[in-house]
Every structure is written in C-alpha cells, then in structure tokens.
Amino acid sequence: MPPQKPQDVGPWDLIAFVCELAMIVLLVAAGHGMAGGWKGWALGAFLAFVAIGIWAQWMAPTSDKRLVNPTRFIVQVMMFVTVALYAAAGGLVWWGIAFAVVSITAFAARIRADP
C-alpha cells in the first residue's frame, strides 16, 4: 500500500482527538461510579470497549465502513450524549455535561474538513 498524503491537522482536530480519549476515560470512571470494586472497573472497561468498537467500525478515518456526513455526525452526537448520561449515572454529572458540550462543539467545528 502506498503511503498516504498527510492531511492538515488543526486545533479542532487536536481537540476532537482529546475528546475521543476523554470518552474512554469517562466511561471507565462512570462504570466505576455505578458499581463498587472490581465490578465497577469491569463495567467501565466493557463500556469503553463497546465505544471503541463502535468508533473503530463507523467513525475512524481508516475504516472501510465509515459513515458519511451528516449521518456520522449524528451518530457521534448520540454517542457523546450517551456517554454523558452514563457519566451522570456514575455520579459525574458535570464531567458528563462538559464532555458532551466540548465534544459536540469540536466535532461540529471540524465537520466541514471531513470528506
């Protein structure tokens, strides 16, 4: 496979990537907040793996089954709201709200750059 031409990476791309990582961390923390001990960590890890699987399948730039916009953006918004609801259920209400607002804003700002 020939090397791909690098794309321009802007500040919104960096914020969007940080939001993707924060989604995983927030889901693990939310799972731990919903159940105590190892069951909470296991629940959080499960939620994070499900989110990673969904993201890798339909949102990742290198995926063969990547959704096209605006469908991809709608699914991303639904994921961010779902993560915020899980965070609220785990006792992290303000973290969930902040995550959803920042993530939706970041992905909305870079939607024009995505093919």
Side-chain angles (χ1 to χ4, degrees):
M1 176 190 274
Q4 295 180 355
K5 184 178 178 181
Q7 298 176 352
D8 292 333
V9 177
W12 286 113
D13 296 314
L14 177 62
I15 294 170
F17 180 69
V18 170
C19 289
E20 293 172 26
L21 297 176
M23 177 171 52
I24 296 165
V25 172
L26 191 57
L27 283 170
V28 171
H32 181 63
M34 285 189 255
W38 68 269
K39 291 179 184 178
W41 292 116
L43 176 61
F46 174 75
L47 293 173
F49 281 124
V50 169
I52 291 168
I54 292 170
W55 200 271
Q57 185 75 19
W58 293 301
M59 264 64 90
T62 57
S63 174
D64 293 336
K65 298 176 184 168
R66 186 177 195 203
L67 298 173
V68 294
N69 278 322
T71 306
R72 183 172 65 240
F73 179 67
I74 292 168
V75 173
Q76 288 169 338
V77 169
M78 290 188 318
M79 279 190 70
F80 299 148
V81 170
T82 302
V83 170
L85 291 172
Y86 274 116
L92 304 168
V93 175
W94 294 111
W95 284 103
I97 292 170
F99 167 77
V101 169
V102 171
S103 297
I104 292 169
T105 303
F107 279 86
R110 65 186 293 269
I111 196 169
R112 285 182 257 141
D114 285 343

